[in-house]
Amino acid sequence: MKINGNAIKQGNVIEHKGALWVAVKTSHVKPGKGGAFAQVELKNLRDNTKLNERFRSSETVERVILEEKKATYLYEDGDKLVFMDAISFEQKFLLKELIGEKSELLEDGMEVILNSFNDEVISVNLPDTIIVEVLEADAVVKGQTASSSYKPAKIKNGIRILVPPHIETGTKVVIKTEDRSYICLLYTSPRPRDEEES
């Protein structure tokens, strides 16, 4: 489907320079001289490389509609990840490199979206947010408030994230899968009451 270059929206997938790209960011620029154009940041769906392109309104690009299928993550098999189609129950073996670093966030039974083009899966969408347990975090410093700078913490697979100072080991937090950024505290695991309180 052909669309004008300045009609590209965030999330659109286009065929460009012989590859498939998703528009990550778009902004419309109207220079003092010359015609307006769209400045688009593109991410390659196969290898995650990025590209910044200008598309003028007179240019047309081929917009690609991907087929989306719900699937469940089952397990890891060497350099492959195994997913099960939610409708046909067919198992798909996908190379781990297709997902890249996000594969570290996969959990058994996690529901994902498989994006296909010409019957070939070219990308996998994880849920926007996931709940993870903080396995290691620096101790809370007295007098430090939540508005202070973030501190490093460790979650599963040795992944490091940044959390507010009040987050402790054993707490569960919600993070974005896109950039692993902290969103909020889910709950705090119960701690033994201080003797003073009893």
Side-chain angles (χ1 to χ4, degrees), residues 175-186:
I175 63 167
K176 281 186 186 177
T177 54
E178 186 61 41
D179 57 8
R180 304 179 182 186
S181 60
Y182 169 89
I183 296 176
C184 65
L185 172 68
L186 187 68

Side-chain angles (χ1 to χ4, degrees), residues 15 20 64-67 115-122:
E15 206 166 345
L20 293 179
V64 174
I65 306 296
L66 298 178
E67 185 184 359
N115 300 306
S116 304
F117 181 63
N118 291 340
D119 291 329
E120 180 194 354
V121 177
I122 56 166

Side-chain angles (χ1 to χ4, degrees), residues 21-60:
W21 305 80
V22 61
V24 180
K25 287 181 192 168
T26 61
S27 59
H28 291 86
V29 182
K30 290 186 179 177
K33 290 181 179 177
F37 60 86
Q39 183 76 39
V40 184
E41 184 181 317
L42 299 167
K43 186 170 79 172
N44 190 304
L45 283 176
R46 289 187 190 278
D47 61 16
N48 287 327
T49 53
K50 290 198 174 173
L51 184 68
N52 275 299
E53 290 283 34
R54 288 181 174 187
F55 294 100
R56 302 206 171 272
S57 55
S58 56
E59 293 178 76
T60 57

